Amino acid sequence: MRHLAVPAAVMVGALALTLTGCGGSDDAKAELSVSSSYMPQPVSDMAAGFLTIANKGGAADDLTSVTSDAAGSVTIHRTVGQSMEEVKSLDVPARGQLVFKSGGNHLMFENLKRQPKQGQKVTVELHFAKAGPIKAEIPVKSATYNPATGH
Ligand code: CU
């Protein structure tokens, strides 16, 4: 008898099917949580920020703005081809996630009040169309940090 390892992609697919199968509640709402956040140590008064907003709930929501005491402004950007553009909001799908990552969606901090250093944290508040605001502490990593390798 042979035992074959189940590829991770197959398991993720099965999980997604299971989750999709249990919807249908009338009072569905978004259940949001933030993970995998980081800011590459900035080299000017601008910085990028990355994070994942997971939604375990049965209703979609929208990230509508981000604020931080550390910066004069925080804007939401997405990457289209080789260029980026500011957007008013981004969708957080029901039972899905909104991912900010290098080369894709990102937060743009401008007019930083001080340049945060590796090991410090930058506090942000995420605002949504329906759900209440979520505070998150974004750890500052090295300027060349790669979340895939962890350094
Ligand atoms: Cu940008």
Side-chain angles (χ1 to χ4, degrees), residues 75-79 84-86 106-108:
T75 48
I76 303 167
H77 289 202
R78 66 176 178 182
T79 302
M84 62 180 192
E85 63 181 25
E86 185 179 339
H106 53 281
L107 301 177
M108 191 74 111

Side-chain angles (χ1 to χ4, degrees), residues 24-66:
S25 163
D26 282 340
D27 52 7
K29 14 177 222 186
E31 285 176 49
L32 305 174
S33 61
V34 175
S35 64
S36 307
S37 66
Y38 74 98
M39 171 186 284
Q41 182 175 297
V43 294
S44 69
D45 69 344
M46 288 173 62
F50 305 102
L51 49 81
T52 297
I53 302 171
N55 182 3
K56 280 195 196 160
D61 207 335
D62 290 287
L63 177 69
T64 53
S65 69
V66 180

